[in-house]
Amino acid sequence: MTLEQLFLCAVWNTFVLDWLLRTKVTTTVNFFYVYQLPVPRLTRGDRYFDALVERAARLICTTPEFDELAREVGLAGHQQGVTDDVERAQLRAEIDGLVAHLYGLDKEELSHVLSTFPLVPQSTKDTVLDAYRQLLPPTPVETLHATSA
């Protein structure tokens, strides 16, 4: 797995991308919709790319089979992977918060996106909003709005 695949895994598994995809799909999901998703083209060295990849790796690399991937990301090995449910939920919330910032969402827009998930517990939504508030917003040049044409 490459670092770009970890990045995509992190971004595609967020509430923001889920919401965006649901606004486009009429009956079934197919690659026509996936190809239309506005996914930021970030690479290693970008603070959001690195932050998302590191968090995704900590969620994925929890067994010895993932040691090579963990080392590629900069972790010592699967021992730095997270298996505790509370810590995993926090990492997922941080990923959601980072991606919301990356897409240039403000707090109200993220709240709206989260409100469209009636089956998600309110505590999960609150954790995402807390993570969003705690993470530094990107500079205008780093937002998806500024990079898409």
Side-chain angles (χ1 to χ4, degrees), residues 16-26 29-30 33-34 37:
V16 171
L17 258 283
D18 187 302
W19 173 84
L20 184 59
L21 191 57
R22 286 186 293 124
T23 64
K24 297 179 179 298
V25 173
T26 53
V29 176
N30 60 47
Y33 297 109
V34 173
L37 289 174

Side-chain angles (χ1 to χ4, degrees), residues 82-95:
V82 176
T83 57
D84 176 73
D85 289 340
V86 174
E87 286 182 69
R88 291 178 66 79
Q90 182 61 40
L91 284 172
R92 286 191 302 268
E94 290 173 8
I95 289 171

Side-chain angles (χ1 to χ4, degrees), residues 108-146:
E108 290 74 30
E109 291 167 330
L110 179 56
S111 292
H112 170 72
V113 166
L114 293 171
S115 74
T116 66
F117 292 87
L119 301 179
V120 174
Q122 187 60 45
S123 60
T124 300
K125 296 173 188 179
D126 292 341
T127 303
V128 170
L129 287 169
D130 288 342
Y132 172 87
R133 282 190 284 273
Q134 291 174 7
L135 296 166
L136 292 175
T139 62
V141 174
E142 291 177 307
T143 65
L144 180 64
H145 298 300

Side-chain angles (χ1 to χ4, degrees), residues 17-83:
L17 258 283
D18 187 302
W19 173 84
L20 184 59
L21 191 57
R22 286 186 293 124
T23 64
K24 297 179 179 298
V25 173
T26 53
T27 54
T28 59
V29 176
N30 60 47
F31 277 101
F32 172 78
Y33 297 109
V34 173
Y35 293 143
Q36 291 183 19
L37 289 174
V39 177
R41 294 178 185 258
L42 304 179
T43 57
R44 181 179 239 167
D46 177 274
R47 67 181 176 150
Y48 285 90
F49 180 91
D50 294 343
L52 289 166
V53 166
E54 186 267 335
R55 284 167 174 82
R58 292 185 60 213
L59 288 169
I60 294 168
C61 301
T62 59
T63 60
E65 294 82 13
F66 291 102
D67 280 344
E68 184 179 335
L69 177 61
R71 284 190 292 276
E72 185 177 343
V73 173
L75 303 176
H78 74 279
Q79 299 84 353
Q80 287 188 287
V82 176
T83 57

